[in-house]
Amino acid sequence: MAFHIVLVEPEIPANTGNIARTCAATGAHLHLVHPLGFLTDDRTLKRAGLDYWHAVHVEHHDSFEEVRLANPEGRFFFASTRASKRYSDFEFRDGDFFVFGKETKGLPQELLDRNPETCLRIPMTGDVRSLNLSNSAAIVLFEAFRQTNFAGLE
């Protein structure tokens, strides 16, 4: 099994490329929910992922609901600056899905409203709106690996 990073309508190719590289380094699966703000053959996307794209399990989806329907047993956690619980308040397990929204707007409010018990945030000062998407994905993913004793990583 593996952890999953779900990007809902990502807009910046370099962020997606960096997340793909993190997925390659950890064996996490990457799910891209369309529409994307770039082409997947974009040079910036490939440059950010360097030569690791062959090592990334990537799935493309037309909607978030498609991801959920394809993984009915999956546990989904939704990252948002509007969440009340910290990411470190949860107990993660192998196979969990971490869902992140587009860089400019985050996840749709209705998705957060339907899943309040699994919304998480990364604590930060009030001086900035949010962290970079690729940094946020790495923080949450590595917390999940820490909690599972870095299973599968050397």
Side-chain angles (χ1 to χ4, degrees), residues 44-133:
T44 306
L45 178 69
K46 290 189 176 180
R47 186 170 55 241
L50 297 174
D51 56 351
Y52 298 107
W53 281 99
H54 70 281
V56 182
H57 177 98
V58 181
E59 294 183 31
H60 292 264
H61 306 275
D62 291 326
S63 69
F64 173 72
E65 288 308 313
E66 184 180 297
V67 178
R68 191 167 244 170
L69 288 171
N71 300 282
E73 302 300 316
R75 293 190 334 149
F76 290 83
F77 296 89
F78 302 87
S80 173
T81 58
R82 301 181 301 268
S84 59
K85 293 181 183 176
R86 295 179 185 161
Y87 72 100
S88 56
D89 293 337
F90 293 90
E91 291 185 24
F92 301 120
R93 61 181 182 237
D94 191 25
D96 284 344
F97 288 73
F98 304 111
V99 185
F100 298 86
K102 62 174 74 177
E103 290 90 341
T104 58
K105 295 182 182 176
L107 290 168
Q109 187 62 47
E110 60 271 10
L111 186 59
L112 301 174
D113 290 345
R114 285 195 319 252
N115 301 282
E117 68 285 348
T118 55
C119 290
L120 56 84
R121 69 179 172 83
I122 299 169
M124 61 185 132
T125 68
D127 296 338
V128 296
R129 184 182 66 228
S130 64
L131 292 171
N132 173 277
L133 179 62

